Amino acid sequence: MKRFMKWCLILTGLLLAVGIGLHTAGAAMGGRYESDAYFARRWGDFADRWDGISGHWRYLGGLLGTPQSKDSGAIDETINAIEVDVDCGDVRLSQGENFAVYMEWNLRGFTMDYKVEDGVLKVESESKSGFLNGVSGWKNEVTITVPSLAGLKKVDLNTNLGDIDVTASCVVGDLQLTTNLGDIDVDAPITATGADLNTDLGDVECKGVLAGELNVKTNLGDADVDLPWEKDRYLWELETSLGELKMDGEKQSGDVGGAHKLRGGTGSNRVTVRSDLGDVGVSFAREDMSRYNNHAFDHLYERVDN
């Protein structure tokens, strides 16, 4: 992966140099005047704040609103599922004494709220006119706490732009973590019937998840999975189009159909880890994984199934 990153940085530098050259040439040829005229016609008062690059960032900074927050406190209602769907923000699932939600944001035209509906704790965002993902300096976060050894039928955390961080021990029927642009980090003993961790652009790190079927996928980034049980209890498939495959820290070879692919195992727990552009690694039952012993959760399966 180091060689790949080196070429990416070289390409980025070349593109940046070309961009600066074009910007300079455009300014010398009167591009500044044309930009002002275009924005005056198209965006009205936007042109009043436009002053080349510096004005551009002043405009984006204007989209940052007054910081806001909302705290649910301890939620007394029965919770059997969690669903989060936000346009922009980091999402965290952490351990706590009670079910609770804390949200904070500072984008103008953007808000978040929560509700409990038929036992499902839902967090959603609403984006109004003027909202723009990726504004410099934005801070949107959702933090949900769950009691230790909570039994949930479903946990579905989704953000279009932001990281997902899970550190809560729980039993889940269906675990789904999805971000279009951001990293996914799971570091907790979690037992699930099925688990899907997906990001389009970002790294995935998964430690301690025991699932009947675990799927980890990133289009551009590295994927590392540490499993709590021995190798003979899994059926695994690792794949990368451009990157390295590692098992228990050792580089593997396994070219199949033009891609680096490795299959093996005879166990009943299926694990699939894929990256289009990035390294893929899986480790089984390392010594430091003893704290992820999921046998303590066996008696909670009935709560999930019912």
Side-chain angles (χ1 to χ4, degrees):
M1 191 59 184
K2 291 182 179 179
R3 182 181 300 176
F4 170 70
M5 291 301 297
K6 177 181 178 180
W7 283 109
C8 284
L9 291 173
I10 292 174
L11 179 60
T12 300
L14 290 174
L15 292 175
L16 179 61
V18 171
I20 293 174
L22 291 175
H23 178 79
T24 303
M29 296 171 65
R32 166 68 184 276
Y33 172 80
E34 293 296 331
S35 295
D36 288 346
Y38 171 79
F39 283 114
R41 294 192 305 270
R42 183 83 182 207
W43 300 105
D45 66 341
F46 176 87
D48 296 335
R49 286 183 284 177
W50 180 259
D51 185 21
I53 294 178
S54 60
H56 174 67
W57 286 111
R58 280 208 307 275
Y59 174 73
L60 293 181
L63 293 178
L64 296 179
T66 302
Q68 301 182 62
S69 64
K70 190 167 186 176
D71 191 346
S72 70
I75 299 176
D76 296 329
E77 300 177 66
T78 300
I79 305 295
N80 54 44
I82 297 174
E83 295 181 1
V84 176
D85 188 6
V86 295
D87 290 325
C88 179
D90 298 331
V91 180
R92 295 183 174 87
L93 188 69
S94 59
Q95 212 79 71
E97 296 182 0
N98 305 284
F99 285 103
V101 182
Y102 178 76
M103 300 160 287
E104 58 179 328
W105 62 94
N106 67 345
L107 280 178
R108 183 177 300 173
F110 180 90
T111 186
M112 291 189 286
D113 206 351
Y114 82 95
K115 62 182 176 181
V116 179
E117 190 174 77
D118 297 327
V120 181
L121 173 58
K122 298 182 178 181
V123 178
E124 298 176 337
S125 68
E126 181 179 350
S127 306
K128 301 176 183 178
S129 61
F131 167 77
L132 178 66
N133 287 347
V135 176
S136 177
W138 64 269
K139 182 181 180 182
N140 295 355
E141 294 181 358
V142 178
T143 300
I144 299 177
T145 59
V146 302
S148 179
L149 303 183
L152 300 165
K153 293 183 177 180
K154 181 178 182 180
V155 172
D156 187 352
L157 309 181
N158 181 80
T159 176
N160 290 330
L161 175 60
D163 299 331
I164 298 177
D165 186 34
V166 177
T167 57
S169 302
C170 56
V171 176
V172 183
D174 185 21
L175 176 65
Q176 296 184 13
L177 310 178
T178 307
T179 175
N180 292 332
L181 178 58
D183 299 331
I184 297 177
D185 189 356
V186 180
D187 189 358
I190 296 176
T191 298
T193 303
D196 290 279
L197 286 60
N198 294 280
T199 177
D200 290 331
L201 179 58
D203 298 330
V204 181
E205 293 189 16
C206 179
K207 295 182 180 179
V209 174
L210 174 62
E213 184 168 349
L214 172 61
N215 297 300
V216 175
K217 176 69 167 66
T218 174
N219 291 331
L220 179 57
D222 298 334
D224 292 298
V225 179
D226 287 339
L227 299 167
W229 283 355
E230 295 77 11
K231 186 183 299 185
D232 59 3
R233 304 188 69 170
Y234 294 95
L235 180 66
W236 69 85
E237 180 176 321
L238 316 180
E239 181 178 354
T240 177
S241 298
L242 182 59
E244 294 181 350
L245 297 178
K246 291 185 178 180
M247 183 172 293
D248 290 327
E250 296 183 2
K251 186 176 179 181
Q252 307 288 317
S253 61
D255 294 343
V256 177
H260 302 288
K261 185 180 294 186
L262 185 67
R263 297 189 182 102
T266 57
S268 59
N269 299 283
R270 185 177 183 87
V271 178
T272 303
V273 186
R274 291 189 174 94
S275 174
D276 291 333
L277 296 175
D279 298 337
V280 169
V282 172
S283 297
F284 300 92
R286 297 189 317 185
E287 291 184 6
D288 60 348
M289 293 292 290
S290 59
R291 69 186 182 94
Y292 298 95
N293 188 335
N294 298 68
H295 294 294
F297 295 163
D298 291 345
H299 68 287
L300 294 176
Y301 270 118
E302 184 177 351
R303 290 173 56 186
V304 175
D305 294 338
N306 294 331

Short mmCIF file of all heavy atoms in Angstrom, two decimals, residues 9-60:
data_model
loop_
_atom_site.label_atom_id
_atom_site.label_comp_id
_atom_site.label_asym_id
_atom_site.label_seq_id
_atom_site.Cartn_x
_atom_site.Cartn_y
_atom_site.Cartn_z
N LEU A 9 0.21 10.38 -4.06
CA LEU A 9 0.71 11.69 -3.65
C LEU A 9 1.40 12.40 -4.81
O LEU A 9 1.26 13.62 -4.98
CB LEU A 9 1.67 11.52 -2.47
CG LEU A 9 1.04 11.07 -1.15
CD1 LEU A 9 2.11 10.78 -0.11
CD2 LEU A 9 0.08 12.14 -0.64
N ILE A 10 2.16 11.65 -5.60
CA ILE A 10 2.81 12.25 -6.77
C ILE A 10 1.76 12.79 -7.74
O ILE A 10 1.87 13.93 -8.23
CB ILE A 10 3.71 11.22 -7.47
CG1 ILE A 10 4.92 10.86 -6.58
CG2 ILE A 10 4.18 11.75 -8.82
CD1 ILE A 10 5.77 9.74 -7.13
N LEU A 11 0.72 11.98 -8.01
CA LEU A 11 -0.35 12.41 -8.91
C LEU A 11 -1.07 13.63 -8.35
O LEU A 11 -1.39 14.58 -9.08
CB LEU A 11 -1.33 11.26 -9.14
CG LEU A 11 -2.52 11.57 -10.05
CD1 LEU A 11 -2.04 11.97 -11.45
CD2 LEU A 11 -3.44 10.34 -10.14
N THR A 12 -1.32 13.63 -7.04
CA THR A 12 -1.98 14.77 -6.41
C THR A 12 -1.16 16.04 -6.56
O THR A 12 -1.68 17.12 -6.87
CB THR A 12 -2.22 14.49 -4.92
OG1 THR A 12 -3.04 13.32 -4.78
CG2 THR A 12 -2.90 15.66 -4.25
N GLY A 13 0.16 15.92 -6.36
CA GLY A 13 1.04 17.08 -6.52
C GLY A 13 1.03 17.62 -7.93
O GLY A 13 1.00 18.84 -8.14
N LEU A 14 1.04 16.72 -8.91
CA LEU A 14 1.01 17.15 -10.31
C LEU A 14 -0.29 17.86 -10.64
O LEU A 14 -0.30 18.90 -11.30
CB LEU A 14 1.20 15.94 -11.22
CG LEU A 14 2.61 15.29 -11.22
CD1 LEU A 14 2.60 14.02 -12.06
CD2 LEU A 14 3.65 16.27 -11.74
N LEU A 15 -1.40 17.30 -10.17
CA LEU A 15 -2.70 17.92 -10.43
C LEU A 15 -2.81 19.28 -9.75
O LEU A 15 -3.39 20.22 -10.31
CB LEU A 15 -3.82 17.00 -9.95
CG LEU A 15 -4.00 15.69 -10.74
CD1 LEU A 15 -5.07 14.81 -10.08
CD2 LEU A 15 -4.40 15.99 -12.19
N LEU A 16 -2.26 19.39 -8.54
CA LEU A 16 -2.28 20.67 -7.84
C LEU A 16 -1.47 21.71 -8.60
O LEU A 16 -1.90 22.87 -8.74
CB LEU A 16 -1.72 20.49 -6.43
CG LEU A 16 -1.65 21.75 -5.56
CD1 LEU A 16 -3.05 22.32 -5.36
CD2 LEU A 16 -1.02 21.43 -4.21
N ALA A 17 -0.30 21.30 -9.10
CA ALA A 17 0.53 22.23 -9.86
C ALA A 17 -0.17 22.70 -11.12
O ALA A 17 -0.15 23.89 -11.47
CB ALA A 17 1.86 21.56 -10.20
N VAL A 18 -0.83 21.77 -11.81
CA VAL A 18 -1.59 22.13 -13.01
C VAL A 18 -2.72 23.09 -12.67
O VAL A 18 -2.98 24.07 -13.37
CB VAL A 18 -2.13 20.86 -13.70
CG1 VAL A 18 -3.09 21.24 -14.83
CG2 VAL A 18 -0.98 20.03 -14.26
N GLY A 19 -3.40 22.80 -11.55
CA GLY A 19 -4.52 23.66 -11.13
C GLY A 19 -4.07 25.07 -10.82
O GLY A 19 -4.72 26.06 -11.22
N ILE A 20 -2.94 25.20 -10.12
CA ILE A 20 -2.42 26.53 -9.80
C ILE A 20 -2.04 27.26 -11.09
O ILE A 20 -2.30 28.47 -11.26
CB ILE A 20 -1.20 26.42 -8.87
CG1 ILE A 20 -1.65 25.89 -7.50
CG2 ILE A 20 -0.51 27.77 -8.71
CD1 ILE A 20 -0.51 25.61 -6.55
N GLY A 21 -1.43 26.52 -12.03
CA GLY A 21 -1.06 27.14 -13.30
C GLY A 21 -2.27 27.64 -14.08
O GLY A 21 -2.28 28.74 -14.62
N LEU A 22 -3.32 26.84 -14.13
CA LEU A 22 -4.54 27.25 -14.83
C LEU A 22 -5.21 28.43 -14.15
O LEU A 22 -5.75 29.33 -14.81
CB LEU A 22 -5.50 26.06 -14.90
CG LEU A 22 -5.08 24.89 -15.80
CD1 LEU A 22 -6.07 23.73 -15.66
CD2 LEU A 22 -5.00 25.35 -17.26
N HIS A 23 -5.20 28.42 -12.81
CA HIS A 23 -5.78 29.54 -12.07
C HIS A 23 -5.05 30.84 -12.39
O HIS A 23 -5.67 31.88 -12.63
CB HIS A 23 -5.72 29.26 -10.57
CG HIS A 23 -6.28 30.38 -9.72
ND1 HIS A 23 -7.62 30.58 -9.53
CD2 HIS A 23 -5.63 31.36 -9.03
CE1 HIS A 23 -7.79 31.63 -8.76
NE2 HIS A 23 -6.61 32.12 -8.44
N THR A 24 -3.71 30.79 -12.41
CA THR A 24 -2.91 31.96 -12.71
C THR A 24 -3.15 32.45 -14.13
O THR A 24 -3.32 33.65 -14.38
CB THR A 24 -1.42 31.65 -12.51
OG1 THR A 24 -1.20 31.18 -11.17
CG2 THR A 24 -0.57 32.88 -12.77
N ALA A 25 -3.19 31.49 -15.07
CA ALA A 25 -3.43 31.86 -16.47
C ALA A 25 -4.81 32.46 -16.65
O ALA A 25 -5.00 33.45 -17.37
CB ALA A 25 -3.27 30.62 -17.36
N GLY A 26 -5.80 31.89 -15.95
CA GLY A 26 -7.16 32.42 -16.05
C GLY A 26 -7.26 33.84 -15.53
O GLY A 26 -7.94 34.69 -16.11
N ALA A 27 -6.57 34.10 -14.40
CA ALA A 27 -6.58 35.45 -13.84
C ALA A 27 -5.94 36.45 -14.79
O ALA A 27 -6.41 37.57 -14.97
CB ALA A 27 -5.87 35.46 -12.49
N ALA A 28 -4.82 36.03 -15.43
CA ALA A 28 -4.11 36.92 -16.35
C ALA A 28 -4.94 37.23 -17.59
O ALA A 28 -4.79 38.29 -18.20
CB ALA A 28 -2.78 36.29 -16.77
N MET A 29 -5.86 36.32 -17.94
CA MET A 29 -6.67 36.49 -19.15
C MET A 29 -8.02 37.12 -18.86
O MET A 29 -8.90 37.15 -19.71
CB MET A 29 -6.87 35.13 -19.83
CG MET A 29 -5.57 34.50 -20.33
SD MET A 29 -5.77 32.80 -20.90
CE MET A 29 -6.85 33.08 -22.33
N GLY A 30 -8.20 37.62 -17.64
CA GLY A 30 -9.45 38.31 -17.31
C GLY A 30 -10.50 37.43 -16.73
O GLY A 30 -11.68 37.79 -16.70
N GLY A 31 -10.12 36.28 -16.24
CA GLY A 31 -11.11 35.37 -15.67
C GLY A 31 -11.81 35.92 -14.44
O GLY A 31 -12.95 35.60 -14.16
N ARG A 32 -11.11 36.77 -13.66
CA ARG A 32 -11.70 37.36 -12.47
C ARG A 32 -12.95 38.17 -12.84
O ARG A 32 -13.99 38.08 -12.19
CB ARG A 32 -10.67 38.24 -11.77
CG ARG A 32 -11.23 39.17 -10.72
CD ARG A 32 -11.76 38.41 -9.50
NE ARG A 32 -12.37 39.31 -8.56
CZ ARG A 32 -11.69 40.00 -7.64
NH1 ARG A 32 -10.38 39.85 -7.57
NH2 ARG A 32 -12.31 40.80 -6.81
N TYR A 33 -12.85 39.00 -13.88
CA TYR A 33 -13.99 39.81 -14.30
C TYR A 33 -15.15 38.93 -14.73
O TYR A 33 -16.31 39.17 -14.39
CB TYR A 33 -13.57 40.73 -15.45
CG TYR A 33 -14.73 41.47 -16.07
CD1 TYR A 33 -15.26 42.61 -15.47
CD2 TYR A 33 -15.29 41.01 -17.27
CE1 TYR A 33 -16.33 43.28 -16.04
CE2 TYR A 33 -16.35 41.67 -17.85
CZ TYR A 33 -16.88 42.81 -17.22
OH TYR A 33 -17.94 43.45 -17.78
N GLU A 34 -14.86 37.88 -15.51
CA GLU A 34 -15.91 36.98 -15.98
C GLU A 34 -16.59 36.28 -14.80
O GLU A 34 -17.81 36.09 -14.80
CB GLU A 34 -15.32 35.95 -16.93
CG GLU A 34 -14.80 36.52 -18.23
CD GLU A 34 -15.92 37.14 -19.07
OE1 GLU A 34 -17.08 36.68 -18.95
OE2 GLU A 34 -15.65 38.09 -19.82
N SER A 35 -15.82 35.88 -13.78
CA SER A 35 -16.39 35.22 -12.61
C SER A 35 -17.35 36.15 -11.88
O SER A 35 -18.45 35.76 -11.48
CB SER A 35 -15.28 34.76 -11.65
OG SER A 35 -14.49 33.77 -12.26
N ASP A 36 -16.92 37.41 -11.68
CA ASP A 36 -17.78 38.37 -10.99
C ASP A 36 -19.09 38.57 -11.74
O ASP A 36 -20.17 38.60 -11.14
CB ASP A 36 -17.06 39.71 -10.85
CG ASP A 36 -15.94 39.65 -9.82
OD1 ASP A 36 -15.93 38.66 -9.04
OD2 ASP A 36 -15.09 40.56 -9.79
N ALA A 37 -19.00 38.72 -13.05
CA ALA A 37 -20.20 38.95 -13.85
C ALA A 37 -21.13 37.75 -13.81
O ALA A 37 -22.35 37.89 -13.70
CB ALA A 37 -19.79 39.26 -15.30
N TYR A 38 -20.54 36.54 -13.88
CA TYR A 38 -21.37 35.32 -13.85
C TYR A 38 -22.12 35.19 -12.54
O TYR A 38 -23.33 34.97 -12.50
CB TYR A 38 -20.49 34.10 -14.07
CG TYR A 38 -21.21 32.79 -13.84
CD1 TYR A 38 -22.07 32.26 -14.80
CD2 TYR A 38 -21.06 32.11 -12.64
CE1 TYR A 38 -22.75 31.08 -14.58
CE2 TYR A 38 -21.73 30.92 -12.41
CZ TYR A 38 -22.57 30.41 -13.38
OH TYR A 38 -23.24 29.24 -13.15
N PHE A 39 -21.40 35.36 -11.44
CA PHE A 39 -22.04 35.19 -10.15
C PHE A 39 -23.05 36.29 -9.86
O PHE A 39 -24.03 36.07 -9.16
CB PHE A 39 -20.99 35.13 -9.03
CG PHE A 39 -20.29 33.81 -8.96
CD1 PHE A 39 -18.94 33.71 -9.24
CD2 PHE A 39 -20.99 32.66 -8.64
CE1 PHE A 39 -18.29 32.48 -9.18
CE2 PHE A 39 -20.34 31.43 -8.58
CZ PHE A 39 -19.00 31.34 -8.86
N ALA A 40 -22.81 37.48 -10.37
CA ALA A 40 -23.77 38.56 -10.19
C ALA A 40 -25.09 38.23 -10.87
O ALA A 40 -26.18 38.49 -10.35
CB ALA A 40 -23.20 39.87 -10.75
N ARG A 41 -24.99 37.64 -12.06
CA ARG A 41 -26.21 37.24 -12.78
C ARG A 41 -26.87 36.04 -12.14
O ARG A 41 -28.10 35.96 -12.06
CB ARG A 41 -25.87 36.91 -14.25
CG ARG A 41 -25.39 38.09 -15.08
CD ARG A 41 -25.38 37.73 -16.56
NE ARG A 41 -24.59 36.54 -16.82
CZ ARG A 41 -23.29 36.55 -17.10
NH1 ARG A 41 -22.64 37.70 -17.15
NH2 ARG A 41 -22.64 35.43 -17.34
N ARG A 42 -26.06 35.08 -11.69
CA ARG A 42 -26.60 33.77 -11.29
C ARG A 42 -26.98 33.71 -9.81
O ARG A 42 -27.98 33.12 -9.45
CB ARG A 42 -25.54 32.70 -11.60
CG ARG A 42 -25.98 31.29 -11.30
CD ARG A 42 -26.78 30.70 -12.42
NE ARG A 42 -27.25 29.37 -12.13
CZ ARG A 42 -27.50 28.46 -13.06
NH1 ARG A 42 -27.31 28.76 -14.32
NH2 ARG A 42 -27.96 27.27 -12.73
N TRP A 43 -26.15 34.32 -8.96
CA TRP A 43 -26.32 34.12 -7.53
C TRP A 43 -26.60 35.40 -6.75
O TRP A 43 -26.69 35.36 -5.52
CB TRP A 43 -25.06 33.45 -6.96
CG TRP A 43 -24.79 32.13 -7.57
CD1 TRP A 43 -23.82 31.83 -8.48
CD2 TRP A 43 -25.50 30.91 -7.35
NE1 TRP A 43 -23.87 30.52 -8.84
CE2 TRP A 43 -24.89 29.92 -8.15
CE3 TRP A 43 -26.58 30.55 -6.56
CZ2 TRP A 43 -25.33 28.60 -8.19
CZ3 TRP A 43 -27.03 29.24 -6.58
CH2 TRP A 43 -26.41 28.29 -7.39
N GLY A 44 -26.73 36.52 -7.42
CA GLY A 44 -27.12 37.74 -6.72
C GLY A 44 -26.10 38.17 -5.69
O GLY A 44 -24.97 38.51 -6.02
N ASP A 45 -26.54 38.19 -4.41
CA ASP A 45 -25.67 38.75 -3.36
C ASP A 45 -24.44 37.89 -3.11
O ASP A 45 -23.53 38.31 -2.40
CB ASP A 45 -26.45 38.90 -2.06
CG ASP A 45 -26.87 37.58 -1.46
OD1 ASP A 45 -26.88 36.56 -2.20
OD2 ASP A 45 -27.20 37.57 -0.27
N PHE A 46 -24.39 36.69 -3.68
CA PHE A 46 -23.18 35.87 -3.53
C PHE A 46 -21.96 36.61 -4.08
O PHE A 46 -20.89 36.60 -3.50
CB PHE A 46 -23.37 34.54 -4.26
CG PHE A 46 -22.15 33.66 -4.26
CD1 PHE A 46 -21.91 32.79 -3.21
CD2 PHE A 46 -21.22 33.72 -5.29
CE1 PHE A 46 -20.80 31.97 -3.20
CE2 PHE A 46 -20.09 32.91 -5.29
CZ PHE A 46 -19.90 32.04 -4.23
N ALA A 47 -22.16 37.32 -5.23
CA ALA A 47 -21.05 38.01 -5.87
C ALA A 47 -20.50 39.13 -5.00
O ALA A 47 -19.34 39.50 -5.10
CB ALA A 47 -21.49 38.58 -7.22
N ASP A 48 -21.35 39.69 -4.11
CA ASP A 48 -20.90 40.76 -3.25
C ASP A 48 -19.84 40.29 -2.27
O ASP A 48 -19.06 41.08 -1.75
CB ASP A 48 -22.08 41.34 -2.46
CG ASP A 48 -23.09 42.00 -3.39
OD1 ASP A 48 -22.68 42.41 -4.50
OD2 ASP A 48 -24.28 42.08 -3.02
N ARG A 49 -19.85 38.95 -1.99
CA ARG A 49 -18.87 38.41 -1.05
C ARG A 49 -17.74 37.67 -1.76
O ARG A 49 -16.89 37.08 -1.12
CB ARG A 49 -19.56 37.45 -0.07
CG ARG A 49 -20.40 38.17 0.95
CD ARG A 49 -20.99 37.17 1.93
NE ARG A 49 -22.10 36.45 1.36
CZ ARG A 49 -22.75 35.47 2.00
NH1 ARG A 49 -22.35 35.10 3.19
NH2 ARG A 49 -23.77 34.87 1.43
N TRP A 50 -17.77 37.69 -3.07
CA TRP A 50 -16.77 36.93 -3.83
C TRP A 50 -15.51 37.78 -4.02
O TRP A 50 -15.55 38.88 -4.53
CB TRP A 50 -17.35 36.53 -5.19
CG TRP A 50 -16.37 35.74 -6.01
CD1 TRP A 50 -15.60 36.20 -7.03
CD2 TRP A 50 -16.05 34.37 -5.87
NE1 TRP A 50 -14.82 35.19 -7.54
CE2 TRP A 50 -15.09 34.05 -6.85
CE3 TRP A 50 -16.50 33.37 -5.01
CZ2 TRP A 50 -14.55 32.80 -6.99
CZ3 TRP A 50 -15.97 32.10 -5.15
CH2 TRP A 50 -15.02 31.82 -6.13
N ASP A 51 -14.40 37.24 -3.63
CA ASP A 51 -13.12 37.95 -3.79
C ASP A 51 -12.05 36.92 -4.08
O ASP A 51 -11.12 36.71 -3.30
CB ASP A 51 -12.79 38.74 -2.53
CG ASP A 51 -11.53 39.59 -2.71
OD1 ASP A 51 -11.17 39.86 -3.87
OD2 ASP A 51 -10.91 39.94 -1.69
N GLY A 52 -12.19 36.23 -5.21
CA GLY A 52 -11.24 35.17 -5.56
C GLY A 52 -11.32 34.04 -4.55
O GLY A 52 -12.38 33.72 -4.03
N ILE A 53 -10.18 33.43 -4.29
CA ILE A 53 -10.15 32.31 -3.38
C ILE A 53 -10.56 32.72 -1.98
O ILE A 53 -11.34 32.05 -1.31
CB ILE A 53 -8.74 31.67 -3.36
CG1 ILE A 53 -8.43 31.06 -4.72
CG2 ILE A 53 -8.64 30.60 -2.28
CD1 ILE A 53 -7.05 30.46 -4.82
N SER A 54 -10.04 33.88 -1.49
CA SER A 54 -10.35 34.30 -0.12
C SER A 54 -11.84 34.54 0.05
O SER A 54 -12.44 34.18 1.05
CB SER A 54 -9.56 35.56 0.24
OG SER A 54 -9.89 36.63 -0.64
N GLY A 55 -12.48 35.17 -0.96
CA GLY A 55 -13.91 35.41 -0.87
C GLY A 55 -14.70 34.12 -0.91
O GLY A 55 -15.73 33.99 -0.26
N HIS A 56 -14.21 33.15 -1.69
CA HIS A 56 -14.87 31.84 -1.76
C HIS A 56 -14.97 31.22 -0.37
O HIS A 56 -16.01 30.75 0.05
CB HIS A 56 -14.09 30.94 -2.71
CG HIS A 56 -14.57 29.54 -2.76
ND1 HIS A 56 -15.80 29.21 -3.26
CD2 HIS A 56 -14.00 28.38 -2.34
CE1 HIS A 56 -15.97 27.90 -3.19
NE2 HIS A 56 -14.89 27.37 -2.62
N TRP A 57 -13.86 31.26 0.38
CA TRP A 57 -13.87 30.67 1.71
C TRP A 57 -14.69 31.50 2.69
O TRP A 57 -15.25 30.96 3.64
CB TRP A 57 -12.44 30.48 2.22
CG TRP A 57 -11.78 29.34 1.53
CD1 TRP A 57 -10.75 29.40 0.64
CD2 TRP A 57 -12.12 27.96 1.64
NE1 TRP A 57 -10.43 28.16 0.19
CE2 TRP A 57 -11.24 27.26 0.78
CE3 TRP A 57 -13.07 27.25 2.36
CZ2 TRP A 57 -11.30 25.88 0.63
CZ3 TRP A 57 -13.14 25.89 2.22
CH2 TRP A 57 -12.26 25.22 1.37
N ARG A 58 -14.78 32.81 2.47
CA ARG A 58 -15.65 33.60 3.33
C ARG A 58 -17.10 33.19 3.13
O ARG A 58 -17.89 33.14 4.06
CB ARG A 58 -15.49 35.09 3.03
CG ARG A 58 -14.27 35.73 3.64
CD ARG A 58 -14.52 37.21 3.90
NE ARG A 58 -14.99 37.88 2.69
CZ ARG A 58 -14.18 38.35 1.74
NH1 ARG A 58 -12.88 38.18 1.84
NH2 ARG A 58 -14.68 38.97 0.70
N TYR A 59 -17.45 32.91 1.88
CA TYR A 59 -18.83 32.49 1.61
C TYR A 59 -19.13 31.16 2.28
O TYR A 59 -20.16 30.98 2.92
CB TYR A 59 -19.05 32.37 0.10
CG TYR A 59 -20.42 31.81 -0.23
CD1 TYR A 59 -21.56 32.57 -0.07
CD2 TYR A 59 -20.54 30.49 -0.68
CE1 TYR A 59 -22.81 32.05 -0.36
CE2 TYR A 59 -21.79 29.97 -0.97
CZ TYR A 59 -22.91 30.76 -0.82
OH TYR A 59 -24.13 30.23 -1.10
N LEU A 60 -18.19 30.20 2.13
CA LEU A 60 -18.41 28.90 2.76
C LEU A 60 -18.50 29.04 4.27
O LEU A 60 -19.31 28.41 4.93
CB LEU A 60 -17.28 27.93 2.39
CG LEU A 60 -17.22 27.52 0.93
CD1 LEU A 60 -16.07 26.54 0.73
CD2 LEU A 60 -18.53 26.91 0.46
#
